């Protein structure tokens, strides 16, 4: 941001409005790791994807019930894995470096709604690019208007 005081004030206001507690800079960073994530739509060839991903140095391949796949990499190995999978003609629908939680916390529906409102308020701020959470939210809270 070009104005840290304004940004901090806006973020603090959002936390106060939605009953959150703001910690110091980096106070929850230990809960997350920077990882590369590649998403594939349902129908991706699991064996071909697994072979290419593991040869390129990916950490994990997660298959969903609907046939969608997610490849997880280290931050350092992200570029190499993306290039290798593209070379194997396995173009991801989405490839990004993000912060993934080491552990998650299951939220009640009431708590989930509160947290989701706070996340929405933070995402609406002009100077905020990304918001990460380690909450596991029930489907009913995610579908609420």
């Amino acid at each position: 941001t070009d104005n840290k005081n304004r940004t901090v004030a806006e973020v603090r206001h959002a936390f106060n409005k939605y009953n959150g507690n703001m910690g110091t800079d980096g106070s929850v960073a230990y809960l997350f790791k920077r990882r590369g994530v590649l998403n594939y739509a349902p129908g991706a060839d699991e064996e071909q994807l697994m072979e290419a991903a593991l040869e390129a140095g990916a950490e994990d391949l997660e298959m969903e019930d609907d046939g969608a796949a997610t490849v997880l990499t280290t931050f350092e190995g992200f570029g190499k894995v993306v290039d290798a999978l593209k070379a194997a003609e396995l173009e991801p629908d989405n490839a990004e470096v993000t912060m993934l939680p080491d552990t998650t916390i299951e939220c009640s529906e009431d708590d989930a709604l509160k947290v989701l409102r706070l996340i929405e308020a933070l995402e609406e701020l002009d100077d905020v690019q990304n918001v990460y959470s380690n909450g596991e939210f029930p489907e009913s809270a995610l579908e609420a208007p």
Side-chain angles (χ1 to χ4, degrees):
T1 181
D2 58 345
N3 187 337
K4 283 188 177 187
N5 291 332
R6 180 193 69 224
T7 303
V8 169
E10 290 174 345
V11 170
R12 184 175 289 118
H13 175 72
F15 270 90
N16 288 336
K17 184 175 180 179
Y18 294 99
N19 298 319
N21 294 316
M22 200 162 120
T24 59
D25 187 27
S27 63
V28 294
Y30 72 95
L31 296 172
F32 298 85
K33 282 201 173 120
R34 191 173 351 178
R35 295 247 175 89
V37 179
L38 294 86
N39 299 107
Y40 291 86
D45 183 347
E46 181 179 0
E47 286 187 32
Q48 182 185 9
L49 188 57
M50 182 177 292
E51 183 178 325
L54 293 177
E55 281 181 21
E59 288 185 327
D60 197 9
L61 171 67
E62 298 173 354
M63 295 300 295
E64 302 295 328
D65 293 337
D66 65 356
T70 302
V71 176
L72 299 174
T73 74
T74 61
F75 168 69
E76 297 79 14
F78 177 70
K80 180 181 173 188
V81 172
V82 170
D83 292 343
L85 291 173
K86 286 181 178 179
E89 297 182 9
L90 295 165
E91 186 74 32
D93 290 344
N94 181 47
E96 66 180 342
V97 174
T98 188
M99 299 296 283
L100 294 178
D102 283 333
T103 59
T104 57
I105 297 173
E106 194 169 321
C107 296
S108 67
E109 185 172 352
D110 186 47
D111 287 342
L113 290 172
K114 291 177 187 176
V115 172
L116 290 170
R117 280 194 288 267
L118 173 59
I119 289 171
E120 186 177 320
L122 291 170
E123 288 176 338
E124 288 178 7
L125 298 176
D126 291 337
D127 292 325
V128 173
Q129 275 81 51
N130 299 303
V131 179
Y132 304 103
S133 170
N134 67 339
E136 283 188 31
F137 307 119
E139 287 295 321
S140 57
L142 296 172
E143 294 168 358

